[in-house]
Amino acid sequence: MERGALAQTARHIPKKAGTIFVVSTEDVWKHKGEALRQALENTRYEVLFLPGGEDHKRLAPLEIMAEQMVERGGDRSSLVIAFGGGIVNDMGGFLAAIFMRGIPVIQIPTTLLAQVDAAVGGKTGVNLQNGKNLVGSFHPPLVVVTDPALLDSLPDREYRAGLWEIIKAGIIREPGLFRYLSEQRQAVLSRRPEAVDHIIAESVRMKSEVVSSDERENDLRRILNFGHTFGHALEAETQYTRFLHGEAVAWGMRAAVHLGELIHSVSAQDAAAMHRIIDEYGPIPSVAGIPAANLQARLAHDKKTVQGSVHFIVPVRIGEVKVVSGVEEALVRTAIERALA
Ligand SMILES: NC(=O)c1ccc[n+]([C@@H]2O[C@H](COP(=O)([O-])OP(=O)(O)OC[C@H]3O[C@@H](n4cnc5c(N)ncnc54)[C@H](O)[C@@H]3O)[C@@H](O)[C@H]2O)c1
Ligand SMILES: [Zn+2]
């Protein structure tokens, strides 16, 4: 993770690598293709474009791309460079995981969300009609090239959506980061390079620590889902069109903090500080007209449900959360209603 890291990309390509496939979207390529082209100046590579958007994060485009890879000389020695937002990281990573039963991938995340989240931890995959990320594989990248300079063309709404995952990192495990985000809000929102670099580095470190302590999904990794159980319900209820993922997570964190207050897992003072920081980095699109009952009904369908019982991650204090289950339905309803209010 370093400003300017993109220029060093070629160094990470193994000498014996065969055909290199850059997987990207037209959109990302328009903004940042030239920068990658320069970084790969003396390297031969093919560019494959994915259709962007969550609707297209499906298996079908991967089959088409795998065929194209074979036609263009792809074999077991090939390498994928996934260059784009989280969708490209997930799809390009999964393509690498299954092409010829697995070839290496270099991840180059180009959104804030992808730099602090999607490209860290080795999860790859696509959506099914029945839900997000239901088909996939763990395929840890050869290297992640994280260059904050890639974010300078990112639209403001996308940037702020990524910030909520960083706020999440502060709440669940990093009190110092939480304090920094509170005190340096102007620097962060105006994208001052040293502020951006700092919060990315801290978030990447946090997620790396959590996922390396247990590569597969279980207890510690579950804290990363703070705000996500509620957030996923909101995304699904609004057909993934009204909120960006990070915005839904912002709302979900609010609901999770309310739930923590209702079950007395967190002090009123810490809860207030959490609500404040979520507000200060807002606003998110309006939640008007969304029925609490519908959101509550959707909780049970969340992928993170374990054997039928919904687990919630609630705050304990700034920098600490815990997993609870068997929470009374009425309290969950109240938390949702308060977050919608
Ligand atoms: N694997 C994981 O652990 C993990 C974790 C979190 C999220 N994800 C996945 O990540 C995806 C969301 O990622 P996202 O928020 O990055 O969305 P995205 O990939 O759709 O990118 C958001 C938008 O930004 C554009 N964009 C990307 N880079 C840009 C740049 N540098 N300049 C200008 N525009 C740019 C894209 O074209 C797109 O329109 C979801 O599918 C989610 O499931 C995966
Ligand atoms: Zn998330």
Side-chain angles (χ1 to χ4, degrees):
M1 142 63 218
E2 198 183 348
R3 198 163 280 270
L6 183 71
Q8 307 300 318
T9 303
R11 266 201 214 162
H12 302 294
I13 299 172
K15 292 266 177 307
K16 55 183 187 338
T19 312
I20 290 154
F21 293 96
V22 173
V23 173
S24 193
T25 61
E26 308 254 7
D27 185 33
V28 169
W29 199 249
K30 183 181 79 199
H31 291 289
K32 293 293 169 188
E34 184 53 34
L36 183 63
R37 228 184 343 250
Q38 281 175 22
L40 296 179
E41 209 171 35
N42 300 312
T43 310
R44 242 184 51 79
Y45 60 92
E46 301 276 333
V47 185
L48 301 173
F49 290 114
L50 281 171
E54 200 66 45
D55 293 355
H56 296 115
K57 188 179 160 186
R58 300 292 295 271
L59 272 169
L62 296 188
E63 181 171 352
I64 295 168
M65 294 181 81
E67 298 280 14
Q68 290 174 343
M69 286 168 75
V70 176
E71 284 157 18
R72 302 197 203 173
D75 62 19
R76 257 184 284 277
S77 69
S78 295
L79 172 111
V80 168
I81 297 178
F83 184 61
I87 292 183
V88 169
N89 296 149
D90 276 7
M91 292 183 78
F94 190 43
L95 179 64
I98 57 179
F99 187 74
M100 303 269 166
R101 297 196 186 80
I103 60 172
V105 60
I106 292 177
Q107 293 285 5
I108 309 183
T110 64
T111 64
L112 183 57
L113 184 105
Q115 293 195 347
V116 300
D117 197 353
V120 187
K123 279 191 190 178
T124 70
V126 295
N127 304 331
L128 294 180
Q129 200 90 61
N130 275 305
K132 279 189 69 173
N133 302 325
L134 293 185
V135 171
S137 167
F138 278 88
H139 192 54
L142 203 56
V143 61
V144 184
V145 177
T146 303
D147 186 344
L150 285 166
L151 307 181
D152 59 15
S153 53
L154 198 63
D156 206 53
R157 190 178 168 202
E158 294 286 349
Y159 176 70
R160 286 195 303 113
L163 287 179
W164 275 301
E165 295 280 0
I166 299 180
I167 291 168
K168 178 197 78 178
I171 293 177
I172 66 176
R173 214 174 137 91
E174 302 291 332
L177 179 57
F178 186 97
R179 201 173 324 113
Y180 186 92
L181 289 164
S182 305
E183 289 168 2
Q184 302 294 327
R185 187 169 63 97
Q186 276 320 321
V188 171
L189 286 175
S190 64
R191 309 197 201 187
R192 274 234 291 280
E194 62 279 15
V196 176
D197 295 7
H198 175 71
I199 61 175
I200 293 174
E202 288 293 286
S203 312
V204 169
R205 179 183 52 72
M206 186 284 298
K207 188 171 178 190
S208 306
E209 283 171 10
V210 168
V211 300
S212 66
S213 71
D214 62 351
E215 279 267 321
R216 305 267 156 178
E217 190 109 17
N218 55 47
D219 265 4
L220 185 56
R221 195 164 178 155
R222 289 226 305 251
I223 71 172
L224 299 172
N225 288 319
F226 179 66
H228 282 61
T229 306
F230 292 108
H232 286 152
L234 184 69
E235 284 183 286
E237 179 65 20
T238 51
Q239 283 78 46
Y240 300 93
T241 51
R242 190 146 142 197
F243 301 91
L244 296 178
H245 173 70
E247 294 169 340
V249 168
W251 180 83
M253 290 195 290
R254 199 178 303 217
V257 176
H258 282 304
L259 188 62
E261 292 178 86
L262 288 162
I263 66 170
H264 306 292
S265 68
V266 64
S267 72
Q269 192 189 355
D270 282 358
M274 293 172 193
H275 286 306
R276 196 178 319 122
I277 201 168
I278 296 167
D279 281 348
E280 282 175 355
Y281 278 88
I284 63 168
S286 164
V287 292
I290 300 169
N294 294 16
L295 295 175
Q296 188 165 19
R298 285 184 186 273
L299 293 177
H301 297 301
D302 195 75
K303 176 165 64 97
K304 301 300 186 316
T305 302
V306 182
Q307 294 183 342
S309 109
V310 184
H311 289 59
F312 294 98
I313 296 117
V314 291
V316 173
R317 61 177 63 80
I318 292 165
E320 187 182 342
V321 292
K322 69 175 183 182
V323 181
V324 294
S325 58
V327 181
E328 259 179 73
E329 300 264 318
L331 294 179
V332 174
R333 170 62 72 91
T334 304
I336 293 173
E337 283 167 356
R338 287 188 184 171
L340 288 172

mmCIF file of all heavy atoms in Angstrom, residues 113 117 165 168 224-226 228 232 235 245-246 249, ligand 2:
data_model
loop_
_atom_site.group_PDB
_atom_site.id
_atom_site.type_symbol
_atom_site.label_atom_id
_atom_site.label_comp_id
_atom_site.label_asym_id
_atom_site.label_seq_id
_atom_site.Cartn_x
_atom_site.Cartn_y
_atom_site.Cartn_z
ATOM 1 N N LEU A 113 -13.664 1.261 -1.539
ATOM 2 C CA LEU A 113 -14.230 0.045 -0.951
ATOM 3 C C LEU A 113 -13.387 -1.179 -1.299
ATOM 4 O O LEU A 113 -13.112 -2.034 -0.456
ATOM 5 C CB LEU A 113 -15.669 -0.179 -1.422
ATOM 6 C CG LEU A 113 -16.294 -1.395 -0.746
ATOM 7 C CD1 LEU A 113 -17.279 -0.993 0.313
ATOM 8 C CD2 LEU A 113 -16.908 -2.347 -1.735
ATOM 9 N N ASP A 117 -11.428 -3.321 1.424
ATOM 10 C CA ASP A 117 -12.280 -4.464 1.750
ATOM 11 C C ASP A 117 -12.202 -5.581 0.704
ATOM 12 O O ASP A 117 -11.632 -6.642 0.954
ATOM 13 C CB ASP A 117 -13.727 -3.966 1.928
ATOM 14 C CG ASP A 117 -14.598 -4.964 2.666
ATOM 15 O OD1 ASP A 117 -14.136 -6.092 2.919
ATOM 16 O OD2 ASP A 117 -15.749 -4.625 2.989
ATOM 17 N N GLU A 165 -17.015 1.796 5.399
ATOM 18 C CA GLU A 165 -16.339 0.544 5.784
ATOM 19 C C GLU A 165 -15.130 0.861 6.678
ATOM 20 O O GLU A 165 -14.730 0.057 7.513
ATOM 21 C CB GLU A 165 -15.881 -0.241 4.555
ATOM 22 C CG GLU A 165 -17.014 -0.771 3.664
ATOM 23 C CD GLU A 165 -17.669 -2.058 4.182
ATOM 24 O OE1 GLU A 165 -17.277 -2.587 5.242
ATOM 25 O OE2 GLU A 165 -18.610 -2.521 3.499
ATOM 26 N N LYS A 168 -16.473 1.543 10.005
ATOM 27 C CA LYS A 168 -16.735 0.223 10.597
ATOM 28 C C LYS A 168 -15.465 -0.341 11.226
ATOM 29 O O LYS A 168 -15.484 -0.839 12.353
ATOM 30 C CB LYS A 168 -17.263 -0.742 9.528
ATOM 31 C CG LYS A 168 -17.526 -2.147 10.048
ATOM 32 C CD LYS A 168 -17.653 -3.155 8.915
ATOM 33 C CE LYS A 168 -16.278 -3.552 8.365
ATOM 34 N NZ LYS A 168 -16.372 -4.562 7.289
ATOM 35 N N LEU A 224 -16.325 -8.476 11.064
ATOM 36 C CA LEU A 224 -16.297 -7.638 9.848
ATOM 37 C C LEU A 224 -17.703 -7.396 9.316
ATOM 38 O O LEU A 224 -17.916 -6.505 8.512
ATOM 39 C CB LEU A 224 -15.442 -8.303 8.764
ATOM 40 C CG LEU A 224 -13.971 -8.529 9.117
ATOM 41 C CD1 LEU A 224 -13.301 -9.376 8.044
ATOM 42 C CD2 LEU A 224 -13.249 -7.203 9.284
ATOM 43 N N ASN A 225 -18.647 -8.226 9.758
ATOM 44 C CA ASN A 225 -20.021 -8.073 9.287
ATOM 45 C C ASN A 225 -20.816 -7.069 10.109
ATOM 46 O O ASN A 225 -22.028 -6.947 9.936
ATOM 47 C CB ASN A 225 -20.737 -9.422 9.296
ATOM 48 C CG ASN A 225 -20.225 -10.305 8.190
ATOM 49 O OD1 ASN A 225 -19.996 -9.843 7.084
ATOM 50 N ND2 ASN A 225 -20.014 -11.568 8.503
ATOM 51 N N PHE A 226 -20.147 -6.351 10.988
ATOM 52 C CA PHE A 226 -20.844 -5.321 11.755
ATOM 53 C C PHE A 226 -21.593 -4.380 10.793
ATOM 54 O O PHE A 226 -21.016 -3.886 9.823
ATOM 55 C CB PHE A 226 -19.832 -4.521 12.588
ATOM 56 C CG PHE A 226 -20.462 -3.419 13.389
ATOM 57 C CD1 PHE A 226 -21.341 -3.716 14.424
ATOM 58 C CD2 PHE A 226 -20.197 -2.092 13.105
ATOM 59 C CE1 PHE A 226 -21.934 -2.698 15.160
ATOM 60 C CE2 PHE A 226 -20.784 -1.064 13.833
ATOM 61 C CZ PHE A 226 -21.654 -1.375 14.861
ATOM 62 N N HIS A 228 -23.702 -5.187 8.664
ATOM 63 C CA HIS A 228 -24.015 -5.826 7.389
ATOM 64 C C HIS A 228 -25.304 -6.645 7.402
ATOM 65 O O HIS A 228 -25.947 -6.786 6.378
ATOM 66 C CB HIS A 228 -22.846 -6.697 6.923
ATOM 67 C CG HIS A 228 -21.735 -5.888 6.315
ATOM 68 N ND1 HIS A 228 -21.050 -4.926 7.026
ATOM 69 C CD2 HIS A 228 -21.202 -5.879 5.068
ATOM 70 C CE1 HIS A 228 -20.137 -4.368 6.232
ATOM 71 N NE2 HIS A 228 -20.206 -4.931 5.040
ATOM 72 N N HIS A 232 -27.564 -5.507 4.595
ATOM 73 C CA HIS A 232 -27.960 -6.394 3.489
ATOM 74 C C HIS A 232 -29.476 -6.422 3.328
ATOM 75 O O HIS A 232 -29.988 -6.475 2.205
ATOM 76 C CB HIS A 232 -27.449 -7.821 3.726
ATOM 77 C CG HIS A 232 -25.970 -7.962 3.502
ATOM 78 N ND1 HIS A 232 -25.213 -8.909 4.142
ATOM 79 C CD2 HIS A 232 -25.114 -7.277 2.712
ATOM 80 C CE1 HIS A 232 -23.951 -8.793 3.767
ATOM 81 N NE2 HIS A 232 -23.866 -7.810 2.897
ATOM 82 N N GLU A 235 -30.378 -3.302 1.469
ATOM 83 C CA GLU A 235 -30.007 -3.388 0.053
ATOM 84 C C GLU A 235 -30.990 -4.258 -0.715
ATOM 85 O O GLU A 235 -31.422 -3.921 -1.812
ATOM 86 C CB GLU A 235 -28.610 -4.014 -0.100
ATOM 87 C CG GLU A 235 -27.451 -3.113 0.236
ATOM 88 C CD GLU A 235 -26.127 -3.827 -0.016
ATOM 89 O OE1 GLU A 235 -25.749 -4.708 0.781
ATOM 90 O OE2 GLU A 235 -25.458 -3.500 -1.019
ATOM 91 N N HIS A 245 -23.482 -0.056 -1.452
ATOM 92 C CA HIS A 245 -23.242 -0.982 -0.343
ATOM 93 C C HIS A 245 -22.813 -0.245 0.939
ATOM 94 O O HIS A 245 -23.356 -0.485 2.016
ATOM 95 C CB HIS A 245 -22.187 -2.009 -0.759
ATOM 96 C CG HIS A 245 -21.757 -2.900 0.365
ATOM 97 N ND1 HIS A 245 -22.594 -3.854 0.907
ATOM 98 C CD2 HIS A 245 -20.609 -2.947 1.077
ATOM 99 C CE1 HIS A 245 -21.959 -4.465 1.897
ATOM 100 N NE2 HIS A 245 -20.750 -3.936 2.024
ATOM 101 N N GLY A 246 -21.860 0.644 0.811
ATOM 102 C CA GLY A 246 -21.365 1.359 1.993
ATOM 103 C C GLY A 246 -22.450 2.200 2.653
ATOM 104 O O GLY A 246 -22.471 2.343 3.884
ATOM 105 N N VAL A 249 -24.524 -0.079 4.622
ATOM 106 C CA VAL A 249 -23.781 -0.461 5.825
ATOM 107 C C VAL A 249 -23.851 0.665 6.866
ATOM 108 O O VAL A 249 -23.957 0.406 8.069
ATOM 109 C CB VAL A 249 -22.323 -0.817 5.476
ATOM 110 C CG1 VAL A 249 -21.458 -0.930 6.731
ATOM 111 C CG2 VAL A 249 -22.277 -2.121 4.683
HETATM 112 ZN ZN ZN B 2 -19.157 -4.385 3.305
#
